[in-house]
Structure formats: C-alpha cells, structure tokens
Amino acid sequence: MGIIQLSDFLIAEANSFIKIKNEIDKKQYDKIVNVVYPQLKRNPFFGTNIKKLKGEFEEYYRYRIGNYRLFYLVENEKVVVVVVDFKHRQNAYD
C-alpha cells in the first residue's frame, strides 16, 4: 500500500497542545512553527526525526527536536496533522 499525497497537510493544534503551548520556550516554539510544521505539511510520515510509535500509542507519531518530542496524529482522510503534545524526552513516554 502506497501513500499518494495530492496536497499539503494542514496543521491543527489539539486543545491538549494549546494548553501547554504558552509554557514552551519561544525559541523552541518558533522552531516548531518555522521548521517542523513545514516538514509535517509536506510529509508527516517520513523524515530523519519522525518515528511512528508502537503498542498502545501506535496511532501516534513523534518528531524529535533535540531533547524534546512533539507528538501528533495524522488524519489521512482530512489531510490534517493534529499536534497533541510536546514534552522533554525524559518525561515523554511516561
């Protein structure tokens, strides 16, 4: 099964992410918006920093940003990437 991408994905921030967004360092958030979001819009499935999770979180992906992890879901039917969480790697998988 192959994935054919006809258009860029939209980025949606879930309420869980919006709640913690103001706690994220401005420099980190700028990197998310200016570097990570454009990559996720083009291809949220593959990249050097992208990994599909396993087990009970198998529907999620994570994007590695230094010592932090950005977690998101991909809704193929709607062509939307839903950003759900951002955590330091020490606390990311608790």
Side-chain angles (χ1 to χ4, degrees):
M1 177 171 143
I3 296 172
I4 299 173
Q5 185 176 334
L6 301 175
S7 62
D8 286 349
F9 283 79
L10 298 174
I11 302 291
E13 294 178 340
N15 288 336
S16 57
F17 181 75
I18 291 170
K19 287 179 184 177
I20 64 164
K21 186 164 76 170
N22 293 331
E23 298 170 14
I24 299 172
D25 178 70
K26 182 178 174 2
K27 186 176 176 181
Q28 284 284 8
Y29 186 71
D30 288 345
K31 185 172 185 175
I32 292 170
V33 170
N34 297 319
V35 177
V36 177
Y37 281 2
Q39 181 177 354
L40 294 181
K41 285 180 178 184
R42 285 187 309 277
N43 187 349
F45 303 104
F46 180 75
T48 57
N49 295 312
I50 294 173
K51 182 178 180 181
K52 185 163 177 52
L53 300 182
K54 298 177 182 177
E56 67 181 283
F57 299 108
E58 67 184 337
E59 62 202 39
Y60 291 88
Y61 290 80
R62 72 100 170 111
Y63 192 104
R64 182 174 49 87
I65 308 167
N67 286 328
Y68 290 87
R69 304 296 183 261
L70 182 75
F71 296 94
Y72 62 94
L73 297 163
V74 179
E75 294 186 7
N76 262 335
E77 312 80 41
K78 297 178 183 178
V79 194
V80 174
V81 173
V82 182
V83 177
V84 293
D85 206 354
F86 181 77
K87 292 185 176 185
H88 191 277
R89 68 185 181 103
Q90 287 179 330
N91 306 318
Y93 304 101
D94 293 341

